[in-house]
């Protein structure tokens, strides 16, 4: 169903912490090498938050930049969503901490859990809230301090992730079509291929659970790789079809920044090589922040211009996946 109202992104922002951890640094922690990591993933370095920086701190930096870009004040926000798998605490929501830090006192706030797909899910949720007339202005953030949930003794996962945050401000109106239809899906039967099994109600915190390192992210890398390629390529195709546009109409594709080989495989399947935005080399996989940071960078460096059609796609734990199309109107 097409909702009547156009909803546009009116500002974006992003933030990565100061500390850089290179592949060479990782080779001092676990048995690996710059050559292995770069050839398998495209990553050279990632940013790591300071011990006293929580996810809401990273999110607030990105939010402040997005509000400045949009030219609006925090108290004009009606809705604030933080997509994250690394919240400050189980509760209250990281979004409430961000609200307090940035002064979004008129917004209602909640977190959205869709792992690495969270930013696109949150964008779609906020868009529909605005299109329904329920809210006027929304702030959507993808923010992660992955370094707190990674097993720094597991070379199969610790090389892959980084910390950061990205944000977008949404409002009704704008020239062009704004944020268009999404295609999204999930498959809970494959949850155990990518999860953090300990620390929740299934396997509560205990000395035994921690000794077994169950509170860290676990992943079957090869399986995740295969599903990520298939699902993201399918989601893009479905989203293009839903919006009545063809691949050739899209100026820029922004995929989840998980691995350059996943991105290249999708680009080949879709015939879009040369129109794909990547920054995985600099930041590694920042989960729900990855798409948000890439969108902000693509907007700021002029890769996407007013009137361009942009397609975005994500994949993450759950499994969850999705894609959407938008017309850039800034
Ligand atoms: N350095 C050196 N060797 C390593 C490392 C490392 N960091 N990690 C694993 N190896 C070894 C393994 O032990 C294995 O050795 P063995 O053959 O002696 O057993 C060998 O390298 C091959 O291991 P694989 O895991 O099969 O390597 P693969 O080529 O599949 O690459 C990788 C691993 C990079 C993790 C890949 O599977 C991948 O990128 N998968 C997708 C992961 C991903 O993107 N997840 C997130 C997506 S969703 C989200 O964002 C949450």
């Amino acid at each position: 169903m097409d909702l009547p109202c156009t909803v546009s992104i009116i500002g974006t922002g992003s933030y990565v912490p100061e500390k850089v951890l290179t592949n060479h640094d990782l080779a001092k922690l676990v048995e690996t090498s710059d050559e292995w990591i770069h050839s398998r993933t495209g990553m050279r370095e990632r940013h790591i938050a300071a011990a006293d920086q929580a996810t809401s701190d990273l999110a607030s930096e990105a939010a402040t930049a997005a509000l400045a870009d949009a030219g609006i004040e925090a108290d004009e926000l009606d809705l604030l969503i933080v997509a994250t798998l690394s919240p400050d605490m189980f509760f209250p929501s990281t979004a409430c901490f961000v609200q307090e830090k940035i002064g979004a006192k008129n917004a209602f706030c909640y977190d959205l859990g869709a792992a690495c797909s969270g930013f696109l899910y949150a964008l779609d949720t906020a868009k529909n809230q605005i299109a329904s007339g329920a809210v006027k202005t929304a702030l959507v953030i993808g923010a992660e301090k992955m370094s707190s949930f990674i097993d720094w003794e597991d070379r199969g996962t610790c090389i892959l992730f980084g910390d950061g945050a990205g944000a977008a401000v949404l409002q009704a109106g704008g020239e062009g079509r704004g944020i268009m239809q999404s295609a999204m899906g999930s498959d809970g039967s494959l949850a155990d291929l990518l999860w953090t099994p300990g620390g929740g109600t299934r396997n509560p915190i205990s000395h035994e659970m921690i000794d077994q390192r169950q509170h860290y992210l676990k992943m079957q890398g090869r399986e995740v790789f295969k599903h990520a390629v298939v699902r993201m390529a399918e989601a893009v195709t479905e989203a293009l079809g839903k919006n009545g546009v063809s691949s050739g109409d899209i100026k820029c594709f922004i995929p989840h920044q998980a691995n350059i080989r996943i991105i290249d495989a999708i680009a080949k399947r879709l015939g879009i090589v040369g129109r794909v935005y990547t920054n995985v080399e600099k930041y590694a996989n920042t989960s729900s922040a990855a798409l948000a940071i890439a969108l902000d960078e693509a907007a700021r460096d002029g890769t996407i211009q007013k009137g361009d059609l942009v397609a975005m796609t994500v994949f993450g734990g759950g499994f969850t996946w999705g894609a959407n199309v938008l017309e850039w109107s800034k």
Side-chain angles (χ1 to χ4, degrees), residues 49 53 68 73 88 93 96 99 141 152 157 161 170 180-181 186 188 233-234 236 252 283 307-308 310-311 317:
Q53 275 183 312
E73 300 297 326
D88 286 22
S93 68
C96 283
Q99 174 192 35
I141 307 171
W152 290 100
T157 54
F161 296 96
L170 279 61
M180 296 155 74
Q181 297 280 315
S186 308
E234 282 175 357
V236 170
C252 179
Y283 306 129
D308 286 345
V310 178

Short mmCIF file of all heavy atoms in Angstrom, two decimals, residues 49 53 68 73 88 93 96 99 141 152 157 161 170 180-181 186 188 233-234 236 252 283 307-308 310-311 317:
data_model
loop_
_atom_site.label_atom_id
_atom_site.label_comp_id
_atom_site.label_asym_id
_atom_site.label_seq_id
_atom_site.Cartn_x
_atom_site.Cartn_y
_atom_site.Cartn_z
N ALA A 49 35.98 2.46 20.41
CA ALA A 49 35.57 3.46 21.41
C ALA A 49 36.44 3.38 22.65
O ALA A 49 36.97 2.32 23.00
CB ALA A 49 34.10 3.24 21.77
N GLN A 53 33.41 5.53 26.80
CA GLN A 53 32.40 5.88 25.78
C GLN A 53 31.42 4.72 25.63
O GLN A 53 31.82 3.60 25.30
CB GLN A 53 33.06 6.09 24.41
CG GLN A 53 33.60 7.48 24.17
CD GLN A 53 34.18 7.61 22.76
OE1 GLN A 53 34.95 6.75 22.31
NE2 GLN A 53 33.80 8.66 22.07
N ALA A 68 22.50 19.30 13.00
CA ALA A 68 23.14 20.50 12.43
C ALA A 68 22.97 20.50 10.91
O ALA A 68 22.67 21.54 10.30
CB ALA A 68 24.62 20.53 12.82
N GLU A 73 16.57 22.02 15.68
CA GLU A 73 16.97 21.86 17.09
C GLU A 73 16.45 20.52 17.60
O GLU A 73 15.42 20.01 17.13
CB GLU A 73 16.37 22.99 17.94
CG GLU A 73 16.80 24.38 17.54
CD GLU A 73 18.31 24.61 17.70
OE1 GLU A 73 18.89 24.03 18.64
OE2 GLU A 73 18.89 25.35 16.88
N ASP A 88 23.62 0.47 25.76
CA ASP A 88 24.33 0.85 26.99
C ASP A 88 24.02 -0.16 28.10
O ASP A 88 24.89 -0.55 28.87
CB ASP A 88 23.86 2.23 27.47
CG ASP A 88 24.40 3.38 26.62
OD1 ASP A 88 24.78 3.13 25.46
OD2 ASP A 88 24.43 4.51 27.13
N SER A 93 16.22 2.08 27.42
CA SER A 93 16.73 2.03 26.05
C SER A 93 17.89 3.02 25.87
O SER A 93 17.96 4.06 26.54
CB SER A 93 15.62 2.38 25.06
OG SER A 93 15.26 3.74 25.19
N CYS A 96 16.73 6.50 25.10
CA CYS A 96 16.43 7.43 26.19
C CYS A 96 17.70 8.13 26.69
O CYS A 96 17.66 9.32 27.05
CB CYS A 96 15.72 6.70 27.33
SG CYS A 96 13.98 6.39 26.95
N GLN A 99 18.34 10.78 24.12
CA GLN A 99 17.39 11.88 24.30
C GLN A 99 17.92 12.88 25.34
O GLN A 99 17.92 14.09 25.12
CB GLN A 99 16.04 11.34 24.77
CG GLN A 99 15.06 12.45 25.12
CD GLN A 99 13.83 11.95 25.86
OE1 GLN A 99 13.91 11.02 26.66
NE2 GLN A 99 12.71 12.57 25.58
N ILE A 141 18.89 6.53 14.35
CA ILE A 141 20.33 6.36 14.58
C ILE A 141 20.68 4.88 14.52
O ILE A 141 19.94 4.05 15.06
CB ILE A 141 20.74 6.92 15.97
CG1 ILE A 141 20.26 8.37 16.15
CG2 ILE A 141 22.25 6.84 16.15
CD1 ILE A 141 20.43 8.90 17.57
N TRP A 152 37.95 -11.01 21.99
CA TRP A 152 39.25 -10.57 21.45
C TRP A 152 40.26 -11.71 21.39
O TRP A 152 41.40 -11.52 21.00
CB TRP A 152 39.79 -9.38 22.25
CG TRP A 152 38.96 -8.15 21.97
CD1 TRP A 152 37.98 -7.63 22.75
CD2 TRP A 152 39.03 -7.31 20.81
NE1 TRP A 152 37.42 -6.53 22.15
CE2 TRP A 152 38.04 -6.31 20.96
CE3 TRP A 152 39.81 -7.32 19.65
CZ2 TRP A 152 37.82 -5.32 20.00
CZ3 TRP A 152 39.59 -6.33 18.69
CH2 TRP A 152 38.61 -5.35 18.88
N THR A 157 36.30 -13.77 14.51
CA THR A 157 35.32 -12.67 14.60
C THR A 157 35.94 -11.32 14.97
O THR A 157 35.47 -10.29 14.50
CB THR A 157 34.21 -12.99 15.64
OG1 THR A 157 34.84 -13.33 16.89
CG2 THR A 157 33.33 -14.13 15.18
N PHE A 161 34.98 -6.43 13.19
CA PHE A 161 34.05 -5.39 13.66
C PHE A 161 34.74 -4.12 14.13
O PHE A 161 35.91 -4.14 14.53
CB PHE A 161 33.17 -5.97 14.76
CG PHE A 161 32.28 -7.09 14.28
CD1 PHE A 161 32.67 -8.42 14.44
CD2 PHE A 161 31.10 -6.82 13.62
CE1 PHE A 161 31.87 -9.46 13.98
CE2 PHE A 161 30.29 -7.85 13.14
CZ PHE A 161 30.67 -9.17 13.33
N LEU A 170 14.43 12.77 9.56
CA LEU A 170 13.36 12.57 8.57
C LEU A 170 12.22 13.53 8.83
O LEU A 170 11.85 13.77 9.99
CB LEU A 170 12.80 11.15 8.68
CG LEU A 170 13.54 9.98 8.03
CD1 LEU A 170 14.93 9.80 8.60
CD2 LEU A 170 12.74 8.70 8.23
N MET A 180 11.27 5.65 -0.42
CA MET A 180 10.24 4.88 -1.14
C MET A 180 9.98 3.56 -0.42
O MET A 180 10.32 3.41 0.75
CB MET A 180 10.69 4.73 -2.60
CG MET A 180 10.77 6.10 -3.29
SD MET A 180 11.90 6.22 -4.70
CE MET A 180 11.03 5.33 -5.94
N GLN A 181 9.40 2.60 -1.13
CA GLN A 181 9.02 1.33 -0.50
C GLN A 181 10.24 0.47 -0.15
O GLN A 181 11.22 0.44 -0.89
CB GLN A 181 8.16 0.52 -1.47
CG GLN A 181 6.86 1.17 -1.83
CD GLN A 181 5.81 0.95 -0.75
OE1 GLN A 181 5.66 -0.14 -0.23
NE2 GLN A 181 5.11 2.01 -0.39
N SER A 186 12.90 -11.76 7.31
CA SER A 186 13.64 -12.33 8.44
C SER A 186 13.51 -13.85 8.40
O SER A 186 12.54 -14.37 7.86
CB SER A 186 13.07 -11.82 9.78
OG SER A 186 13.00 -10.42 9.80
N GLY A 188 14.15 -16.60 11.44
CA GLY A 188 14.61 -16.97 12.78
C GLY A 188 15.13 -18.39 12.89
O GLY A 188 15.76 -18.73 13.89
N ALA A 233 20.96 -9.46 -2.44
CA ALA A 233 20.69 -9.32 -3.88
C ALA A 233 19.19 -9.45 -4.15
O ALA A 233 18.61 -8.67 -4.91
CB ALA A 233 21.48 -10.38 -4.66
N GLU A 234 18.53 -10.43 -3.49
CA GLU A 234 17.07 -10.61 -3.68
C GLU A 234 16.31 -9.39 -3.19
O GLU A 234 15.35 -8.94 -3.84
CB GLU A 234 16.58 -11.82 -2.86
CG GLU A 234 16.89 -13.16 -3.49
CD GLU A 234 16.49 -14.31 -2.57
OE1 GLU A 234 16.03 -14.08 -1.42
OE2 GLU A 234 16.66 -15.46 -3.02
N VAL A 236 17.26 -6.25 -2.94
CA VAL A 236 17.41 -5.10 -3.84
C VAL A 236 16.48 -5.28 -5.04
O VAL A 236 15.76 -4.36 -5.43
CB VAL A 236 18.88 -4.92 -4.30
CG1 VAL A 236 18.97 -3.90 -5.42
CG2 VAL A 236 19.77 -4.51 -3.13
N CYS A 252 23.46 5.27 -7.11
CA CYS A 252 24.41 4.75 -6.11
C CYS A 252 23.75 3.65 -5.28
O CYS A 252 22.64 3.83 -4.79
CB CYS A 252 24.85 5.90 -5.21
SG CYS A 252 26.00 5.43 -3.92
N TYR A 283 36.48 1.32 8.29
CA TYR A 283 35.71 1.16 9.54
C TYR A 283 35.39 -0.28 9.90
O TYR A 283 34.84 -0.53 10.96
CB TYR A 283 34.38 1.93 9.43
CG TYR A 283 34.54 3.38 9.07
CD1 TYR A 283 33.82 3.95 8.02
CD2 TYR A 283 35.41 4.21 9.78
CE1 TYR A 283 33.97 5.29 7.68
CE2 TYR A 283 35.57 5.54 9.45
CZ TYR A 283 34.84 6.07 8.40
OH TYR A 283 34.99 7.39 8.07
N GLY A 307 18.24 14.70 -6.39
CA GLY A 307 17.58 14.08 -7.54
C GLY A 307 18.06 12.67 -7.84
O GLY A 307 17.44 11.96 -8.63
N ASP A 308 19.18 12.25 -7.23
CA ASP A 308 19.69 10.89 -7.48
C ASP A 308 18.81 9.85 -6.80
O ASP A 308 18.35 10.05 -5.67
CB ASP A 308 21.11 10.73 -6.90
CG ASP A 308 22.16 11.44 -7.74
OD1 ASP A 308 21.86 11.80 -8.89
OD2 ASP A 308 23.28 11.64 -7.22
N VAL A 310 18.88 6.35 -4.91
CA VAL A 310 19.85 5.57 -4.13
C VAL A 310 19.15 4.30 -3.67
O VAL A 310 17.99 4.35 -3.23
CB VAL A 310 20.29 6.38 -2.88
CG1 VAL A 310 21.26 5.58 -2.03
CG2 VAL A 310 20.90 7.72 -3.29
N ALA A 311 19.83 3.15 -3.79
CA ALA A 311 19.29 1.89 -3.25
C ALA A 311 20.20 1.44 -2.11
O ALA A 311 21.43 1.48 -2.23
CB ALA A 311 19.23 0.83 -4.33
N GLY A 317 22.12 -10.48 11.86
CA GLY A 317 21.71 -11.58 12.73
C GLY A 317 20.19 -11.66 12.81
O GLY A 317 19.49 -10.66 12.70
#
